[in-house]
Amino acid sequence: MTPPLLVRDLAQLATPAPVPRPRRGRALGDVLVLEDAYVLCRDGLIAEVGRMRDLAPLAADVVEVDGRGLSAVPGLVDCHTHPAWGGDRVTEFSLRAGGASYEELHAAGGGILSTVLATRALDETALCECVRRHAGWMLRHGTTTWEGKSGYGLDHDTELASLRAIRAAGGSPTWLGAHAVPPEFADADAYLEYALAEVLPAAAEIASAADVFLEGGAFDAKQARRYLAACADAGLALRLHGDQFAEAGSIPLAVELGARSVDHLEATRDAGIRALAASDVTAVLLPASALFLGRPMPPARALVDAGAAVALATDFNPGSAFTESLPLVASLACTQLRLTPEEALTAVTVNAAHVLDAGRAGELSAGSSADLVLLDAPDWRYLAYHLAGDVVHTVILGGEVAAVR
Ligand code: NIG
Ligand code: FE
């Protein structure tokens, strides 16, 4: 049994209002802030959150963490990552820096397909090691709950190994079986025929959700519907990569199929914003990807103002968003997406947890899991304010110190 843990004398503690989830519209900005606060963790859960002056005397076996000068926020929730891959895309990065476009490189067999070849070359032990390494990076940036997608295997063995590696590293696995058409298939329909017959039955045993890249050069709306409908029949929650480069029917399809989210949305215009706001589908925004590719930012302010449920995520992957930092994403939300720090905090905690159906992750209150981040700052808003800063001081996972700098 691990002893209780008391984080004491915190300069500040901030938590989004936990219910109802997801937070929408103005409710996205509801954040409770306590000054001179403590958090008491017991048996992996938060037992108490309060002001120091209200702290009752504690038993002798309590482990104490000195929170002076620090502020606490909930463990961050990254609801969109691609952590299972081999190789890198640094040469492609250089070519893009020299003027080549992401779509051109993708069409020329670079991009996603080059990572597919490098990932297939790894055995399962090496793939597990890669995912564990990436999960360690995320943890050190304050991420305590995360989703990880397959999608760089696109064959039976590598997709399943990717999903197992994600689960073994502590992530929630999503089968991105429809990420690209691998070279051994003539077209998207032929590949889907194979993937749904040969991979889905086993993938559905491991994964919690399925995802598709609905975009020109990947899968069209008809193919995405076929893939997602089969995945829903197999019991998987549904996600879509949509409207990244052009609107191609992702939002109506997501609403029709009851998907949990559409992610990206850089190209979404007014009708799509209205449709999302009127639905239960969460808009997952990935500003680090837009930044990395030099693309327009998604219409975050309009989505929130229209009443949509909005979450933020890194999109961590080697090609379009090589960052594991949700604090950086929160900074981009405030500087590029015109969200407030309060809205950004909600979007990287309770709303992201809602996308993953992750219980009470993302809040600091009695009874929720004892996952918290101590920021090296007297005000919790440094989470977004300290652009690319070394803001994460300590990460507590399940009531134990998991990372300290
Ligand atoms: O979310 N858009 C599709 N998939 C990833 C990028 C994958 C890659 O470039 O390797 C994304 O941006
Ligand atoms: Fe993605």
Side-chain angles (χ1 to χ4, degrees):
M1 272 292 274
T2 44
L5 183 97
L6 173 70
V7 185
R8 57 176 304 145
D9 296 305
L10 285 159
Q12 266 191 354
L13 174 150
T15 181
V19 285
R21 295 179 181 209
R23 316 293 295 165
R24 295 170 170 275
R26 296 175 74 87
L28 215 78
D30 292 344
V31 169
L32 173 78
V33 180
L34 293 181
E35 312 277 339
D36 196 21
Y38 73 90
V39 183
L40 177 64
C41 311
R42 192 179 286 126
D43 301 331
L45 300 178
I46 293 180
E48 291 173 29
V49 170
R51 306 279 302 269
M52 281 306 290
R53 63 171 184 235
D54 300 322
L55 178 63
L58 293 164
D61 67 337
V62 173
V63 174
E64 295 197 357
V65 173
D66 181 1
R68 279 177 297 175
L70 310 180
S71 50
V73 293
L76 306 179
V77 180
D78 199 341
C79 66
H80 183 138
T81 85
H82 305 251
W85 43 270
D88 62 40
R89 301 261 283 281
V90 65
T91 301
E92 173 186 315
F93 177 77
S94 298
L95 291 171
R96 281 200 298 103
S101 84
Y102 180 73
E103 300 101 300
E104 280 161 16
L105 293 161
H106 186 75
I112 295 170
L113 289 176
S114 67
T115 300
V116 169
L117 296 182
T119 306
R120 286 179 178 178
L122 300 179
D123 65 19
E124 187 155 346
T125 307
L127 193 51
C128 281
E129 192 38 53
C130 281
V131 177
R132 223 189 330 267
R133 181 161 180 249
H134 298 155
W137 296 350
M138 292 185 220
L139 181 77
R140 287 191 289 282
H141 285 80
T143 297
T144 53
T145 299
W146 53 279
E147 178 260 22
K149 302 173 195 296
S150 66
Y152 290 119
L154 305 178
D155 64 20
H156 177 274
D157 291 357
T158 320
E159 282 298 300
L160 296 177
S162 299
L163 294 171
R164 284 191 293 265
I166 290 160
R167 195 173 59 185
S172 172
T174 292
W175 182 46
L176 179 50
H179 195 194
V181 180
E184 62 273 23
F185 289 90
D187 56 33
D189 291 309
Y191 168 65
L192 287 181
E193 194 69 35
Y194 158 80
L196 294 175
E198 305 295 330
V199 188
L200 171 59
E205 299 286 311
I206 310 167
S208 305
D211 198 344
V212 57
F213 185 20
L214 202 179
E215 195 76 48
F219 297 88
D220 66 21
K222 187 160 170 258
Q223 291 155 347
R225 176 186 278 104
R226 177 183 178 204
Y227 172 80
L228 292 173
C231 291
D233 285 347
L236 296 172
L238 306 182
R239 313 276 306 267
L240 291 88
H241 280 69
D243 293 5
Q244 182 180 7
F245 297 99
E247 290 183 302
S250 293
I251 293 173
L253 183 62
V255 174
E256 175 195 327
L257 297 180
R260 291 203 79 86
S261 72
V262 182
D263 306 38
H264 274 292
L265 303 171
E266 290 92 319
T268 302
R269 288 175 296 183
D270 286 355
I273 292 168
R274 283 196 301 274
L276 272 178
S279 79
D280 289 328
V281 180
T282 299
V284 176
L285 308 181
L286 311 167
S289 165
L291 180 78
F292 203 77
L293 296 182
R295 303 283 310 167
M297 288 288 161
R301 189 72 258 156
L303 282 160
V304 174
D305 291 346
V310 170
L312 289 160
T314 59
D315 196 20
F316 172 76
N317 75 76
S320 71
F322 192 37
T323 180
E324 61 278 16
S325 173
L326 281 173
L328 175 65
V329 168
S331 294
L332 294 175
C334 296
T335 58
Q336 309 298 307
L337 301 185
R338 297 197 295 124
L339 299 188
T340 64
E342 288 78 6
E343 291 168 333
L345 181 68
T346 300
V348 295
T349 54
V350 292
N351 275 13
H354 171 76
V355 171
L356 302 183
D357 202 11
R360 292 179 60 185
E363 65 184 73
L364 289 183
S365 54
S368 63
S369 60
D371 302 337
L372 52 151
V373 181
L374 308 186
L375 303 174
D376 189 6
D379 185 309
W380 72 270
R381 293 171 296 181
Y382 276 57
L383 176 73
Y385 170 49
H386 196 172
L387 180 69
D390 190 11
V391 70
V392 172
H393 184 285
T394 299
V395 184
I396 294 168
L397 182 65
E400 293 182 48
V401 174
V404 64
R405 74 149 208 253

